[in-house]
Amino acid sequence: MDLQIMKRSRRDDGKEPRVETTVANEEGYDDCSITRLPEACLAHAISLTTPMDACRSSAVSSAFQKAASSDTVWERFLPPGYTSILDRADHPVDLTSTKKELFLNLAQDHVLLDQGTKSFWLEQTSGAKCYMLSSRSLMIILADNPIYWRQSYLPDSRFEEAAELLSVCWFEMSGNIDCTELSPNTQYAAYLVFNLADESYGLDCPTQEASITIRDLMVSAKRTVSLHPRTTAQETPPCGSGGGCLGTRGGDERGGGGRAEEESTVSYPRERGDGWMEVELGEFYNHYGDTGMVAIRLTETVQLHWKKGLILEGVEIRPKS
């Protein structure tokens, strides 16, 4: 049913304003209405926004809803080269669904890649690529020696196994990902995803240091990382209580307080919704056309206190919120 829309306009001669009438239908104004545009034009305009904006625009009208759900829109939101990434999936991904369904599936769940060594998904508000590098894909010093590390099956892990630290004093791990695997012009952060065993110590040492480099160039300021929550770290003595130091490396006598000239931001972990904890290791910007490897490192090779109880799922790389 048509609606009578009354619009008042003031006359230039100062007399009573005249009343103009415009007829509109349930979809909006008949005259100059955006909903009168062809669906292809609406879809193109919506594709220039974001996935979140596209979902919101569906509430405008049935014409917008149809355009906002089209493959034209959601194909643009899917990252370039997504088919080649999904070709590496451990289990086949259904590509016959609509592009919107595919996007939402990738935003709501992860896909295991490369024989279970990586996990891939999309950031739901932007469509940016996200990854987790499994503990198996990380370079961990002494990880192949069962005296120091072991691989454990955990039902709540997205991977088949997680690495459990039994006892080390020299702690060094790193993970790599190619810049071209990531979304361009995106600010990323890297997070260590882990839990702590019932008995753990030495993981809040003030000389645990994280860094990120691209093509061997430092792109993130080094930061001190504690793997115990802030309250625990504040209540326990430096480096925990699991044994004495074996000494310091290279004559560095930083001790518990660290060298004042090299003080850095301390990262503390927080609990995630999936039951794991995460701590930020650093951030970097992936420019358009960047090439080379992003190297993410976490080390403690200075005070050499004994460490135990880290259950490592992997390193997550996702857009910085």
Side-chain angles (χ1 to χ4, degrees), residues 10-301:
R10 184 169 297 279
R11 295 178 54 172
D12 295 335
D13 57 9
K15 296 182 180 180
E16 286 296 319
R18 65 181 181 273
V19 176
E20 297 176 349
T21 302
T22 304
V23 178
N25 56 33
E26 292 179 354
E27 293 297 328
Y29 293 108
D30 277 341
D31 298 330
C32 301
S33 172
I34 191 172
T35 58
R36 291 170 61 86
L37 289 173
E39 181 184 323
C41 292
L42 280 179
H44 178 72
I46 295 171
S47 72
L48 299 177
T49 62
T50 66
M52 192 68 71
D53 291 330
C55 291
R56 292 190 182 111
S57 70
S58 296
V60 173
S61 68
S62 59
F64 265 83
Q65 184 181 34
K66 186 176 180 181
S69 299
S70 68
D71 281 355
T72 300
V73 170
W74 293 91
E75 177 73 28
R76 190 179 181 96
F77 293 154
L78 288 165
Y82 72 90
T83 55
S84 61
I85 295 174
L86 298 181
D87 284 343
R88 295 154 46 196
D90 292 356
H91 305 286
V93 177
D94 182 14
L95 298 178
T96 63
S97 60
T98 67
K99 301 304 182 185
K100 181 178 181 180
E101 289 172 340
L102 177 60
F103 181 97
L104 294 179
N105 288 337
L106 293 175
Q108 293 166 1
D109 201 1
H110 67 275
V111 175
L112 290 177
L113 306 176
D114 304 335
Q115 292 75 53
T117 58
K118 292 188 185 72
S119 171
F120 168 76
W121 70 101
L122 298 180
E123 202 277 324
Q124 61 182 356
T125 61
S126 65
K129 301 175 189 175
C130 307
Y131 294 88
M132 184 185 286
L133 311 179
S134 73
S135 60
R136 277 285 189 189
S137 70
L138 302 177
M139 191 285 293
I140 304 174
I141 295 296
L142 300 175
D144 56 349
N145 191 324
I147 297 175
Y148 304 110
W149 289 85
R150 70 180 174 196
Q151 293 292 326
S152 302
Y153 168 75
L154 297 174
D156 57 346
S157 173
R158 68 182 63 188
F159 303 110
E160 285 190 2
E161 296 176 319
E164 182 177 356
L165 171 58
L166 301 179
S167 181
V168 298
C169 56
W170 184 286
F171 179 76
E172 184 173 354
M173 55 145 286
S174 63
N176 300 313
I177 191 167
D178 198 300
C179 289
T180 58
E181 292 243 49
L182 302 171
S183 295
N185 300 324
T186 302
Q187 185 78 17
Y188 277 96
Y191 302 84
L192 190 75
V193 181
F194 68 98
N195 264 327
L196 297 176
D198 293 337
E199 183 183 358
S200 64
Y201 50 73
L203 299 172
D204 56 348
C205 187
T207 52
Q208 288 179 161
E209 192 173 70
S211 64
I212 298 180
T213 60
I214 299 179
R215 296 184 298 274
D216 296 327
L217 300 175
M218 188 73 65
V219 296
S220 179
K222 291 183 178 180
R223 64 174 68 190
T224 302
V225 173
S226 172
L227 299 183
H228 281 279
R230 183 184 297 269
T231 53
T232 302
Q234 289 173 337
E235 292 169 1
T236 56
C239 295
S241 56
C245 288
L246 298 184
T248 57
R249 183 184 178 205
D252 189 340
E253 299 294 338
R254 272 187 270 191
R259 292 182 298 191
E261 67 272 18
E262 292 189 4
E263 287 182 357
S264 59
T265 303
V266 179
S267 285
Y268 290 97
R270 69 175 185 86
E271 189 172 350
R272 294 158 51 104
D274 58 6
W276 291 83
M277 292 194 292
E278 70 176 26
V279 63
E280 185 177 332
L281 303 178
E283 58 185 89
F284 62 96
Y285 191 82
N286 192 47
H287 296 272
Y288 180 81
D290 269 356
T291 58
M293 300 300 294
V294 180
I296 303 152
R297 299 185 69 220
L298 177 62
T299 64
E300 201 293 287
T301 59

